[in-house]
Amino acid sequence: MVAYYRDDKAIKKFGKKLREIRQSRGISQEDLALKCGLEYSQVNRIELGKVNTSISHVFLLAKHLEINPAQFFID
């Protein structure tokens, strides 16, 4: 049984996709953080693939980017 699992490649891929979507909508990291009630540094760390963000944050980010959360996981 695996007690802890972390897929750094997937975490970085998610962050890259978040940045791509955010920038395509002309939203700064600061503005997205403010809309979501997150710290700017948290959005930055998610985009850089430094943190394994929660499912709740995935849905929160999607809501404020006005996308379906599945879009984060489509190539």
Side-chain angles (χ1 to χ4, degrees), residues 22-74:
R22 176 185 57 74
Q23 288 178 336
S24 75
R25 286 171 168 55
I27 301 170
S28 70
Q29 285 183 340
E30 295 88 349
D31 287 342
L32 182 58
L34 184 63
K35 287 180 180 186
C36 293
L38 300 171
E39 294 291 327
Y40 153 77
S41 61
Q42 181 71 2
V43 173
N44 182 260
R45 288 191 306 269
I46 294 169
E47 287 189 0
L48 293 174
K50 295 187 180 215
V51 295
N52 189 5
T53 197
S54 71
I55 294 297
S56 295
H57 282 164
V58 170
F59 280 83
L60 179 66
L61 291 162
K63 175 183 174 185
H64 291 287
L65 289 169
E66 299 179 353
I67 64 168
N68 184 312
Q71 285 184 256
F72 289 126
F73 304 100
I74 299 170

Side-chain angles (χ1 to χ4, degrees), residues 9-21:
K9 184 177 176 182
I11 293 167
K12 288 188 182 298
K13 189 174 181 179
F14 174 83
K16 184 178 177 182
K17 190 70 169 186
L18 170 59
R19 176 169 282 169
E20 177 186 299
I21 293 168

